[in-house]
């Protein structure tokens, strides 16, 4: 048995023994008002004869009763007044009750917190976040209202992440008024007929008001802070618009659309191409490139399907034109015309925040709105590598235009970065025939994925000829040669070098600095996506914490609704069931927790894995490398997350996203008919693996006996 569990069992036994003794020996009979009254004179005489011993004994008794959550603390508090007087009694009870409460808090934490975290991981995280922010206020309110059982507060708070010091001092302060009332009543013990005499309805009412005070004070502080944010700014008396949206990428477009749909007057301002990064330089062109690369790969590996293979004749110029054609085909959906027809006032130009309600376009026209949503996106981060600036490097922003007109695939491509964009590009260019070298300073590609997922992708890329240099730092560029180092330096000659080391939020040049809007790596927003000005929101790549099109669109709903209806009700953005996909072949699709993030968050999980090697459809497709890996709450039919590495993993994931979002367990998945032969059967088989691992062995043994008996 582990030492931790031994300690827990020992503590539990001690507590059980002490509580057992209390009831077996009927010690509670001593802690009654009648007994206290009957023995008041006797106790008083003892205290007079042994003042120090009496204080110590009383103190320890009080600590024990409160630490063990035994009934009788109220009687003891009265006793403190009766035998020590108001001031000494208050002093003793105040410290003894705080120490006792803290011991109960610590025991509850030691005995139960891990278990509660393992069972209710996600909810505990949310509660802990709330406690970190406002826990002291809540505790103070609970302590001030004596109607809340003292011992329950101790035990419940122990299950949260509240710091002991906070718990102790807030408890001491919060319990003080009640303590004084009870100790004072104890000084006139003869007049007290029952405990309910002490708290008359009027006094109880006053305590409730006192208890509500911290919460009211908190609300007032919040209101004052919100007002203070606007100090120095003059709010317009009326507004031209309900909502102004800066940036017409995924986030901005969806925000504007929601606003217009609910009949608000919305202006959307875009300085570049409508559709933002995803359409023009991100998802769409990269996925179109990947599709061409797949075609080339299939020609090269056609022998696996009984067809004569060939080295594909890649017409790079046509390939790049296809990419631009696809962008052009999608563009009307994001166009000025479409959004205008949907009721959005679209303006082309550079938006700049002038004050918390006013936005200026191209230094000219000024528009005002009650709410502003910043969806200004991001751009590729550039590492400070000497010589890079002169190298003619490409990024995802520049490459689609810069490669236009090039008729042949670049022979040698160096890619700096082992994240999703770098890895997608590395495989695509290798499949198109480039000799690709990919540099990653960390120990592996796709570091946010579990190791087994990134190892499989890495293995496939290496087999396809990508020279992957993990643990390597890009040191400098000399002409058309990249110098990298791990233990020693190495030279990598290239024709094109692609920088894909991540994306940074766009934070300058449009007024954030002038308004003092807080920024770190992104614009700082709270759970309602508000910046320091509660009417200015930020979403998408500019706000993070994730950088995906669907994430920006998801946040857009919260920003639009909070911006337009926040006076009535605000909604906290919720990212618990967020899927994402890296479009390598095989794809890596991910939702919720993987083992890496669950471990980091301290969430207990069990892993179920189904390998695609024997999946009929995957075999027929020649795509049977990969797996479905599910994270499940131990002992429960609750999905914590999933990672799929497979051909079309992004499509396979949708079913699991739905299951997670709507709390459907693996039994439900298993009970759902999946068409044969499809790749989605892999999800069902993974659920089957879970079921097999939890089959009721004992029951089955009885069933076996039953069958034997039936056979006669
Ligand atoms: C190569 C690549 C591949 C990607 N693949 C995927 C993928 O497969 N799946 C996925 O989900 N995500 C993918 N992404 C990420 C995705 O593109 C972004 O997360 C998404 O575009 C973010 O949307 P956004 O609205 O926050 O910002 P953006 O799309 O960047 O839009 C911001 C807009 O604001 C405008 N703007 C900025 N400042 C101003 C101003 N002052 N005035 C007026 N307009 C302004 C910009 O011109 C821009 O059009 C990829 C990204 C890249 C680079």
């Amino acid at each position: 048995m582990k030492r931790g569990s031994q300690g827990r069992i020992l503590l539990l036994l001690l507590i059980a023994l002490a509580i057992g003794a209390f009831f077996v020996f009927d010690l509670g009979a001593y802690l009654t008002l009648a007994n206290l009254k009957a023995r008041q004179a006797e106790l008083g005489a003892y205290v007079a004869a042994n003042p120090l011993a009496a204080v110590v004994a009383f103190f320890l008794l009080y600590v024990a009763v409160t630490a063990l959550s035994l009934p009788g603390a109220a009687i003891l508090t009265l006793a403190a007044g009766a035998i020590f007087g108001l001031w000494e009694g208050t002093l003793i009870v105040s410290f003894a009750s705080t120490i006792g409460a803290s011991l109960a808090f610590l025991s509850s934490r030691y005995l139960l917190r891990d278990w509660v975290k393992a069972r209710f991981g996600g909810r505990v995280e949310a509660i802990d976040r709330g406690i970190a922010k406002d826990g002291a206020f809540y505790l103070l309110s609970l302590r001030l209202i004596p109607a809340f059982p003292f011992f329950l507060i101790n035990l419940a708070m122990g299950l949260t992440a509240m710091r002991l010091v906070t718990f102790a001092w807030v408890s001491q302060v919060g319990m003080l008024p009640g303590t004084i009332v009870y100790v004072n009543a104890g000084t006139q013990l003869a007049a007290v007929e029952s405990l309910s005499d002490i708290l008359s309805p009027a006094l109880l009412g006053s305590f409730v008001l006192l208890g509500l005070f911290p919460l009211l004070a908190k609300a007032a502080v919040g209101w004052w802070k919100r007002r203070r944010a606007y100090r120095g700014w003059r709010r317009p008396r009326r507004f031209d618009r309900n909502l102004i949206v800066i940036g017409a990428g995924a986030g901005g477009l969806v925000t504007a659309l929601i606003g217009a749909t609910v009949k608000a007057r919305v202006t959307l301002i875009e300085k570049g191409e409508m559709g933002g990064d995803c359409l023009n330089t991100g998802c769409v062109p990269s996925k179109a490139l990947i599709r061409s690369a797949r075609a080339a790969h299939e020609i090269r590996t056609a022998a696996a399907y009984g067809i004569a293979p060939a080295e594909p004749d890649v017409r790079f110029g046509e390939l790049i034109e296809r990419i631009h054609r696809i962008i052009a085909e999608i563009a009307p959906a994001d166009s000025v015309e479409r959004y205008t027809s949907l009721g959005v006032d679209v303006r082309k130009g550079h938006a700049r925040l002038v004050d918390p309600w006013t936005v200026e376009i191209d230094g000219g026209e000024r528009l005002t709105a009650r709410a502003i949503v910043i969806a200004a996106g991001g751009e590729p981060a550039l590492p400070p590598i000497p010589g890079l600036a002169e190298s003619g490097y490409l990024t995802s922003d520049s490459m689609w235009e810069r490669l236009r007109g090039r008729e042949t695939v670049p022979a040698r491509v160096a890619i700096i970065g082992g994240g999703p964009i770098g890895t997608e590009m590395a495989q695509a260019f290798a499949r198109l025939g480039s000799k690709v070298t990919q540099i990653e300073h960390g120990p592996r590609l796709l570091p946010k994925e579990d190791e087994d997922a990134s190892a499989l992708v890495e293995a496939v890329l290496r087999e396809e000829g990508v020279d992957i240099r993990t643990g390597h730092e890009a040191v400098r560029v000399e002409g058309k040669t990249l110098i990298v180092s791990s233990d020693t330096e190495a030279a990598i000659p290239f024709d094109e070098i692609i920088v894909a080391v991540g994306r940074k939020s766009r934070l300058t040049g449009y007024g954030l600095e002038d308004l003092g809007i807080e920024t770190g790596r992104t614009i700082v927003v709270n759970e309602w996506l508000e910046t320091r000005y509660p009417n200015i929101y930020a979403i998408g790549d500019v706000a993070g914490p994730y950088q995906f099109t669907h994430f920006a669109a998801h946040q857009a709903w919260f920003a639009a609704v909070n911006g337009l209806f926040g006076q009535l009700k605000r909604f906290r953005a919720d990212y618990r069931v967020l899927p994402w996909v890296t479009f390598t072949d095989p794809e890596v699709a991910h939702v919720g927790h993987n083992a890496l993030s669950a471990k980091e968050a301290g969430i207990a999980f069990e892993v179920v894995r189904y390998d695609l090697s024997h999946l009929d459809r995957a075999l027929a497709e020649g795509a049977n490398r990969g797996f479905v890996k599910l994270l499940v709450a131990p002992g429960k039919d609750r999905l914590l997350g999933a990672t799929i590495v497979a051909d079309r993993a992004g499509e396979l994931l949708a079913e699991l996203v739905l299951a997670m979002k709507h709390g459907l367990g693996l039994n439900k998945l298993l009970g759902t008919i999946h068409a044969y032969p499809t790749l989605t059967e892999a999800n069902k088989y993974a659920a089957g693996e879970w079921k097999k691992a939890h089959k009721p062995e004992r029951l089955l043994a009885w069933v076996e006996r039953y069958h034997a008996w039936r056979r006669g």
Side-chain angles (χ1 to χ4, degrees):
M1 196 183 290
K2 283 190 194 152
R3 276 182 65 192
S5 4
Q6 278 176 347
R8 280 193 186 101
I9 289 172
L10 199 67
L11 179 63
L12 208 59
L13 273 176
L14 280 175
I15 293 175
L17 269 177
I19 295 177
F22 181 86
F23 288 105
V24 169
F25 297 113
D26 198 18
L27 299 179
Y30 295 94
L31 295 174
T32 62
L33 193 56
N35 187 48
L36 179 61
K37 281 187 175 187
R39 296 181 166 226
Q40 188 178 9
E42 192 187 326
L43 288 167
Y46 179 79
V47 172
N50 310 282
L52 188 63
V55 169
V56 172
F58 183 86
F59 193 90
L60 292 179
L61 178 67
Y62 203 109
V63 169
V65 165
T66 45
L68 292 168
S69 305
L70 295 172
I75 297 295
L76 277 178
T77 313
L78 282 180
I83 58 183
F84 298 110
L86 178 61
W87 299 115
E88 196 182 339
T90 301
L91 195 71
I92 294 171
V93 171
S94 177
F95 280 95
S97 59
T98 301
I99 293 174
S102 303
L103 288 174
F105 167 91
L106 285 176
S107 313
S108 152
R109 173 163 296 173
Y110 181 58
L111 292 173
L112 295 172
R113 174 139 162 98
D114 285 352
W115 177 81
V116 170
K117 257 178 96 173
R119 241 179 128 71
F120 307 103
R123 264 168 281 170
V124 172
E125 270 176 44
I127 292 173
D128 283 348
R129 277 197 299 274
I131 288 286
K133 208 166 149 256
D134 297 320
F137 281 103
Y138 296 137
L139 178 60
L140 191 57
S141 287
L142 291 172
R143 287 299 192 202
L144 282 168
I145 303 176
F148 291 112
F150 180 83
F151 76 98
L152 274 184
I153 301 173
N154 302 337
L155 302 182
M157 285 295 167
L159 301 179
T160 70
M162 179 175 277
R163 289 170 57 226
L164 174 65
V165 183
T166 312
F167 175 80
W169 78 257
V170 175
S171 294
Q172 183 144 23
V173 171
M175 290 188 294
L176 201 57
T179 301
I180 293 173
V181 169
Y182 272 76
V183 174
N184 186 45
T187 61
Q188 287 126 43
L189 195 61
V192 178
E193 289 305 323
S194 87
L195 281 181
S196 53
D197 287 351
I198 300 166
L199 286 185
S200 63
L203 192 56
L204 195 61
S206 326
F207 270 123
V208 170
L209 282 182
L210 199 60
L212 291 179
F213 178 74
L215 295 181
L216 293 175
K218 184 179 160 307
V221 168
W223 177 84
W224 178 74
K225 267 192 188 163
R226 289 157 79 93
R227 298 266 316 174
R228 197 182 54 169
Y230 295 107
R231 209 163 45 196
W233 301 109
R234 200 103 138 264
R235 200 176 106 133
R237 296 208 19 232
R238 57 180 305 282
F239 301 94
D240 313 328
R241 276 132 183 89
N242 300 96
L243 187 64
I244 295 177
V245 184
I246 301 179
L253 287 171
V254 177
T255 309
L257 182 60
I258 293 171
T261 307
V262 296
K263 304 295 176 199
R265 191 156 181 215
V266 183
T267 293
L268 172 66
I269 310 169
E270 171 56 55
K271 68 173 178 178
E273 298 294 331
M274 294 290 286
D277 274 3
C278 185
L279 171 62
N280 300 293
T281 56
C283 336
V284 172
S286 64
K287 267 78 251 180
L289 176 81
I290 286 169
R291 182 61 191 94
S292 296
R294 186 183 177 108
H297 178 71
E298 282 177 349
I299 294 169
R300 191 178 294 115
T301 58
Y305 304 92
I307 296 168
E311 190 47 37
D313 174 14
V314 176
R315 299 173 181 173
F316 197 69
E318 285 176 35
L319 182 159
I320 294 289
E321 284 317 310
R322 171 180 180 270
I323 291 173
H324 286 283
R325 225 172 28 247
I326 292 168
I327 295 174
E329 271 173 45
I330 298 174
D334 293 352
S335 64
V336 175
E337 294 72 25
R338 170 149 186 262
Y339 274 75
T340 306
S341 75
L342 291 168
V344 178
D345 167 36
V346 185
R347 309 294 185 91
K348 293 301 294 281
H350 181 275
R352 189 176 70 83
L353 290 160
V354 175
D355 67 37
W357 305 274
T358 311
V359 176
E360 187 182 79
I361 305 176
D362 283 340
E365 190 184 6
R366 290 186 171 195
L367 307 175
T368 59
R370 257 190 200 282
I372 296 172
V373 175
I374 304 170
E379 55 205 9
L382 283 180
I385 300 172
L388 183 66
E390 301 79 39
S391 68
Y393 67 87
L394 300 174
T395 65
S396 59
D397 266 13
S398 62
M399 62 190 289
W400 315 107
E401 276 307 323
R402 293 261 304 278
L403 291 175
R404 232 173 171 171
R406 195 186 223 288
E407 288 308 320
T408 53
V409 184
R412 298 162 304 174
V413 175
I415 297 179
I416 306 177
I421 296 177
T423 307
E424 286 179 6
M425 295 287 170
Q427 188 178 41
F429 276 97
R431 286 181 161 192
L432 291 172
S434 304
K435 181 174 169 5
V436 177
T437 310
Q438 188 181 10
I439 316 300
E440 163 58 46
H441 70 92
R444 61 190 179 94
L445 300 183
L446 306 180
K448 286 192 181 147
E449 305 299 342
D450 278 348
E451 271 181 41
D452 47 1
S454 64
L456 178 49
V457 170
E458 201 170 312
V460 171
L461 259 68
R462 283 191 200 281
E463 281 165 27
E464 292 183 10
V466 180
D467 177 4
I468 298 172
R469 311 268 183 111
T470 46
H472 278 67
E473 205 70 52
V475 183
R476 61 185 180 280
V477 182
E478 295 170 354
K480 288 282 180 194
T481 303
L482 171 66
I483 309 297
V484 297
S485 86
S486 61
D487 295 337
T488 53
E489 285 196 351
I492 298 166
F494 61 81
D495 298 298
E496 297 289 358
I497 182 166
I498 300 175
V499 180
V501 294
R503 295 175 56 76
K504 60 182 170 96
S505 305
R506 233 173 243 127
L507 300 174
T508 54
Y510 59 98
L512 298 183
E513 315 86 333
D514 307 333
L515 266 70
I517 290 179
E518 247 182 291
T519 57
R521 286 183 59 238
T522 57
I523 295 182
V524 176
V525 289
N526 61 16
E527 56 262 69
W528 297 284
L529 303 175
E530 299 164 353
T531 62
R532 68 170 288 202
Y533 300 98
N535 72 314
I536 303 185
Y537 300 79
I539 60 166
D541 281 9
V542 81
Y546 301 98
Q547 294 179 323
F548 303 111
T549 296
H550 47 279
F551 178 70
H554 176 69
Q555 284 186 320
W557 185 89
F558 292 92
V561 173
N562 289 342
L564 292 170
F565 303 107
Q567 299 295 316
L568 309 172
K569 165 122 183 90
R570 291 186 298 166
F571 292 86
R572 282 192 171 83
D574 172 8
Y575 312 138
R576 267 174 302 176
V577 187
L578 175 72
W580 70 71
V581 182
T582 301
F583 293 87
T584 44
D585 179 13
E587 293 176 358
V588 181
H590 171 135
V591 64
H593 276 295
N594 57 15
L596 199 66
S597 68
K599 274 184 204 148
E600 260 171 33
I603 293 174
F605 61 89
E606 62 178 286
V607 172
V608 186
R609 204 181 134 114
Y610 173 75
D611 202 282
L612 297 189
S613 50
H614 296 298
L615 184 71
D616 295 3
R617 181 60 189 271
L619 281 159
E621 291 291 323
N624 59 335
R625 281 177 89 176
F627 55 83
V628 175
K629 180 173 169 186
L630 306 179
L631 263 72
V632 188
K636 295 188 107 184
D637 184 4
R638 186 158 61 84
L639 206 49
L640 298 172
T643 298
I644 307 180
V645 184
D647 184 22
R648 310 284 161 183
E651 316 294 328
L652 303 189
L653 189 73
E655 176 178 39
L656 301 178
V657 178
L658 187 78
M660 267 193 82
K661 175 75 190 170
H662 297 287
L664 304 176
L666 299 185
N667 276 315
K668 291 252 164 55
L669 200 64
L670 203 53
T672 305
I673 303 175
H674 289 64
Y676 177 87
T678 57
L679 294 176
T680 57
E681 283 185 298
N683 292 337
K684 183 174 166 152
Y685 290 141
E689 292 298 319
W690 172 80
K691 194 76 181 170
K692 262 193 266 168
H694 294 89
K695 64 177 181 238
E697 299 284 3
R698 282 217 191 116
L699 180 68
L700 288 175
W702 281 103
V703 173
E704 194 175 14
R705 280 185 207 133
Y706 167 77
H707 288 312
W709 172 73
R710 294 273 291 163
R711 288 195 299 271

